[in-house]
Amino acid sequence: MTLEVRDMRKDDVPACVAILNHIVTLGGSTAREVPCDAREFLAHYLEGSEVANVVLDNGRIVGFQTALEVETGIYSIGTFTDRGNPAKGAGRAIIAKSIADVRALGGTAIIAKITDDNTGGLAYYTKVGFVDHAVIENDLTRKNGAVVDRIIKRLVL
């Protein structure tokens, strides 16, 4: 396994959409519950973010991470990795570049908003240095009627 992290490009969009939509279909690990098409992905995740990176395993995209400034110096990040054919270490590899990119933009902190039913996401952000910052109670009602909180984790740069 050889992991490479680089800026996301337009030609990466189909692979990223496939990863995202698979996660959405599995349910319970993203607030998003409706799949998206390439046009929506491009507008929201690539063109709508200040930071957009992909992680590749031997040339195959196995994850992506985007961040956008939500208030001066504070960036909100999202991380999505291939659940069908995961690559060990993909999340840890991509966060280093995203942190460097946010710092280069003058960022002072990164936040991640994770639904409380996403135990993998909560563990990932803790493992890479984020700490619990706040809780938004009853933030989302799932299609199945379950009401979940959103945990905000923060990494000070």
Side-chain angles (χ1 to χ4, degrees):
M1 170 177 21
T2 303
L3 296 177
E4 170 195 356
V5 180
R6 63 164 169 76
D7 292 345
M8 185 186 295
R9 305 181 306 230
K10 284 185 180 181
D11 62 332
D12 298 328
V13 169
C16 293
V17 167
I19 289 169
L20 177 60
N21 286 345
H22 183 242
I23 292 168
V24 169
T25 301
L26 292 173
S29 64
T30 179
R32 182 179 194 97
E33 292 197 301
V34 177
C36 72
D37 61 23
R39 187 177 91 327
E40 181 186 359
F41 184 94
L42 182 67
H44 180 75
Y45 291 97
L46 182 56
E47 295 170 349
S49 299
E50 283 85 4
V51 172
N53 294 312
V54 293
V55 59
L56 303 96
D57 179 12
N58 292 315
R60 177 180 65 89
I61 294 176
V62 295
F64 68 93
Q65 194 166 63
T66 63
L68 64 116
E69 192 171 33
V70 292
E71 59 183 87
T72 303
I74 310 297
Y75 288 76
S76 181
I77 199 166
T79 306
F80 303 89
T81 57
D82 189 342
R83 298 287 175 77
N85 191 10
K88 186 169 177 63
R92 187 170 293 276
I94 201 168
I95 191 71
K97 181 170 182 348
S98 295
I99 289 170
D101 290 350
V102 168
R103 278 191 177 125
L105 292 169
T108 57
I110 301 173
I111 61 169
K113 296 177 181 178
I114 308 113
T115 55
D116 66 359
D117 56 351
N118 182 357
T119 56
L122 291 166
Y124 164 73
Y125 283 107
T126 298
K127 194 177 210 178
V128 297
F130 285 67
V131 296
D132 290 349
H133 178 69
V135 176
I136 304 170
E137 294 182 359
N138 304 317
D139 188 54
L140 177 71
T141 302
R142 297 264 185 220
K143 284 195 274 187
N144 68 5
V147 178
V148 295
D149 296 341
R150 190 138 1 183
I151 310 299
I152 300 175
K153 291 187 164 281
R154 182 179 178 109
L155 178 69
V156 176
L157 302 179

